[in-house]
Amino acid sequence: MSVQERKQRERAARERLIVATARELAEQQGWDAVTTRRLAERIEYSQPVLYSHFRGKREIIGAVALQGAAELATAVRAATSAVDGPRARVAALARAYLDFAARNPAVYDALFQLDGGLAYAQEDTPEPLKDAFAALLETLAEVAGDGVHPGLFTETFWAALHGLATLTRAGRLLPEDAEPRVELLVDRLAMV
């Protein structure tokens, strides 16, 4: 291994450490607790080293969001591939999405609430974000209905899931009604 290759691997490892530490801190104490100073202390590198990887907290949030998007896509695909039939796949998608949001609140915030400097629904949208949407579209396109654009249907279903995730997390919806909400969403919006 050349010196250059070793340096690139070390840099990539430091970057992964920064993102993992930011994510851990955000999950434990919220995004307000994530500062470059605290991150530098936790990873035992100087702030200038941290800034050599990310220009600031916004880019760190973006990196966590991209990681989260890849995880969300994986979770949705795993859930939908484990069941048969359109209705079961849509219900599995909804449950996987809501479970991801509940288990990873800081990552979910990085993806959909905070400014991570990422472009959504544009030409320059990063691939992990496009793939997370594609994971939803793969299942929802088959139930969009005649004359309904699959992408628009997916956006609408996603918006409903996001609303459920956000309102449940904020304590505005009773947690014991989570499953009836999924059933209602599947039966009435997806009509399967």
Side-chain angles (χ1 to χ4, degrees), residues 68-81 89-90 92-94 96-97 127-142 150 154-155 157-158 161:
E71 292 170 11
L72 177 60
T74 298
V76 166
R77 286 187 176 113
T80 57
S81 69
R89 280 191 292 279
V90 173
L93 177 150
Y97 184 98
E127 283 306 314
L129 298 178
K130 288 180 182 178
D131 190 51
F133 185 79
L136 301 176
L137 181 65
E138 290 160 10
T139 294
L140 295 171
E142 70 179 306
T154 300
E155 288 173 349
F157 198 90
W158 171 28
L161 287 174

Side-chain angles (χ1 to χ4, degrees), residues 36-170:
T36 53
R37 174 183 233 153
R38 288 187 81 188
L39 284 174
E41 288 171 4
R42 282 205 175 194
I43 64 173
E44 299 180 345
Y45 283 101
S46 67
Q47 282 184 292
V49 169
L50 193 120
Y51 282 114
S52 75
H53 291 272
F54 299 99
R55 286 182 281 191
K57 183 175 176 177
R58 181 178 186 218
E59 283 190 4
I60 294 168
I61 290 169
V64 170
L66 293 176
Q67 188 180 74
E71 292 170 11
L72 177 60
T74 298
V76 166
R77 286 187 176 113
T80 57
S81 69
V83 296
D84 291 323
R87 187 186 191 291
R89 280 191 292 279
V90 173
L93 177 150
R95 288 183 195 104
Y97 184 98
L98 294 170
D99 182 57
F100 179 87
R103 284 185 299 105
N104 305 284
V107 173
Y108 193 80
D109 283 349
L111 266 165
F112 301 120
Q113 305 287 84
L114 302 174
D115 179 9
L118 303 173
Y120 285 76
Q122 297 176 23
E123 285 289 319
D124 59 342
T125 297
E127 283 306 314
L129 298 178
K130 288 180 182 178
D131 190 51
F133 185 79
L136 301 176
L137 181 65
E138 290 160 10
T139 294
L140 295 171
E142 70 179 306
V143 299
D146 294 337
V148 177
H149 187 282
L152 292 177
F153 180 76
T154 300
E155 288 173 349
T156 303
F157 198 90
W158 171 28
L161 287 174
H162 176 70
L164 289 175
T166 303
L167 291 170
T168 299
R169 184 168 154 206

